[in-house]
Amino acid sequence: QVQLVESGGGVVQPGGSLRLSCAASGFIFSNYGMHWVRQAPGKGLEWLSFTWGDGSNKFYADSVKGRFTISKDNSKNTLYLQMNSLRVEDTAVYYCAKDATGEYTFDYWGQGILVTVSS
Amino acid sequence: QSALTQPASVSGSPGQSITISCTGTSSDVGNYNFVSWYQQHPGKAPKLMIYEDIKRPSGVSNRFSGSKSVNTASLTVSGLLAEDEADYYCCSYAGSGTFVFGGGTKVTVL
């Protein structure tokens, strides 16, 4: 069965960096695009970034473009999100999600990981 | 990349039907047949309920159905059950590899 497990969250100061990981299993990782989605405390879902199965193309929301970088290591079945220049408003639970190829849909989600940006 | 518009809350009694609207623009909801709906219980990850406007994944109850007209998509939950009490989010493909979510709707079962 599909499993997505995020790690790497924690507390970081404003202006700092953090790298999230998402370990995938139960499907052929290289065949599927992957997304990052976040949810600030008490708020709604916000799509952040998407990469194709082979990692060749990457797309970002305006709110994180130039600060966050998505990447995919198909040899390790792992998705990453490098977050730089973090702001207080980046505090959220971050989810990785599998793309249902051709359906523009997030069909499986990880359990989420909390990132807190605070001084 | 403006968020799609959903009502903040919707409520209904057990057995009744409710409908949640999701309004976008001709650049997202109205331009693609790629609206999806997600159910989220407190402290849990979202769960896919509807995709490609009207399709239901295997394992999702047929009490959930999707529809769309021009720039507004809708999720209908019929035969409301206590377990349907949750937050619901719509999402649309917005072109160029980007996506946009709605603000979410809290469904209360009275």
Side-chain angles (χ1 to χ4, degrees):
Chain A
Q1 70 282 20
V2 173
Q3 270 201 309
L4 301 170
V5 180
E6 300 95 340
S7 61
V11 180
V12 61
Q13 291 189 335
S17 298
L18 207 58
R19 189 178 81 158
L20 303 182
S21 300
C22 169
S25 60
F27 63 102
I28 302 173
F29 189 64
S30 58
N31 285 357
Y32 293 91
M34 295 292 294
H35 300 263
W36 287 100
V37 176
R38 71 182 177 186
Q39 186 170 35
K43 302 297 184 182
L45 300 172
E46 179 187 13
W47 174 82
L48 297 180
S49 185
F50 168 52
T51 183
W52 285 10
D54 62 2
S56 60
N57 277 23
K58 305 173 184 184
F59 309 92
Y60 299 94
D62 289 343
S63 59
V64 302
K65 196 175 297 182
R67 298 190 301 125
F68 291 10
T69 301
I70 190 171
S71 61
K72 198 172 184 279
D73 187 336
N74 288 334
S75 67
K76 295 183 178 179
N77 286 359
T78 302
L79 176 74
Y80 301 100
L81 185 68
Q82 177 66 44
M83 304 186 294
N84 298 331
S85 303
L86 282 162
R87 306 166 180 168
V88 171
E89 55 265 35
D90 294 318
T91 294
V93 172
Y94 285 72
Y95 296 98
C96 63
K98 173 182 167 292
D99 184 71
T101 302
E103 297 166 357
Y104 294 93
T105 294
F106 320 117
D107 58 355
Y108 291 93
W109 297 65
Q111 84 286 355
I113 191 81
L114 179 62
V115 171
T116 302
V117 184
S118 173
S119 55
Chain B
Q1 294 179 344
S2 298
L4 308 177
T5 300
Q6 297 181 234
S9 62
V10 171
S11 62
S13 299
Q16 287 186 331
S17 293
I18 61 164
T19 297
I20 303 168
S21 61
C22 169
T23 300
T25 70
S26 57
S27 297
D28 38 61
V29 174
N31 198 36
Y32 305 97
N33 295 324
F34 294 125
V35 171
S36 50
W37 289 89
Y38 302 87
Q39 177 192 64
Q40 186 181 36
H41 288 107
K44 301 294 187 181
K47 174 187 175 184
L48 176 65
M49 305 302 284
I50 295 289
Y51 68 101
E52 289 184 350
D53 296 353
I54 61 171
K55 296 180 180 180
R56 195 171 47 246
S58 60
V60 172
S61 171
N62 59 9
R63 297 184 300 105
F64 291 85
S65 62
S67 63
K68 194 176 79 175
S69 176
V70 192
N71 296 334
T72 298
S74 298
L75 174 72
T76 297
V77 186
S78 58
L80 206 57
L81 299 174
E83 66 202 48
D84 299 331
E85 186 162 294
D87 294 325
Y88 291 82
Y89 295 90
C90 62
C91 181
S92 177
Y93 181 63
S96 301
T98 67
F99 296 76
V100 60
F101 278 97
T105 298
K106 181 177 180 59
V107 169
T108 301
V109 180
L110 302 171

